[in-house]
Amino acid sequence: MMKVVKFILLFIPLYWYVLLWDGFVFKIGIPEPPIGNDVPSWVESWLVPLFWFVGTPLSFFIGSAYAFRKKYWVWFGAYMILGGLPVMLFLN
């Protein structure tokens, strides 16, 4: 059970980075849900920017540090490619 939880916690930020790559680099949009977009306004105005500017970098640093410390080299490489490459491209 602990391996499943570890896998999920390492996988969720990588999935988020793939969505960011799809949306901003490859210009592939995420389809709208079939029911509609009934998101409260406070989520869009407060929670989404908080996750963008705090959660994304924090999940990158925590995930890559954990993978490096535990010597999960495949996970660490995935974090470096999906999360670190955009940062390096942006800074150059």
Side-chain angles (χ1 to χ4, degrees):
M1 181 66 176
M2 196 61 180
K3 285 187 178 186
V4 173
V5 171
K6 205 180 309 183
F7 175 81
I8 290 172
L9 289 176
L10 285 170
F11 181 75
I12 288 174
L14 291 177
Y15 182 69
W16 173 248
Y17 302 143
V18 168
L19 291 177
L20 290 177
W21 273 96
D22 286 348
F24 290 109
V25 176
F26 300 119
K27 306 292 186 210
I28 300 172
I30 300 171
E32 290 290 326
I35 297 171
N37 194 3
D38 297 331
V39 178
S41 63
W42 66 271
V43 170
E44 291 182 11
S45 65
W46 183 75
L47 195 60
V48 171
L50 180 71
F51 185 73
W52 272 91
F53 296 115
V54 176
T56 302
L58 191 63
S59 67
F60 169 72
F61 289 121
I62 290 174
S64 59
Y66 178 78
F68 183 78
R69 188 175 142 259
K70 293 291 186 173
K71 297 181 180 155
Y72 298 146
W73 300 119
V74 173
W75 287 102
F76 182 72
Y79 271 95
M80 289 300 113
I81 291 171
L82 294 175
L85 188 63
V87 173
M88 288 188 295
L89 291 175
F90 177 73
L91 293 176
N92 282 332

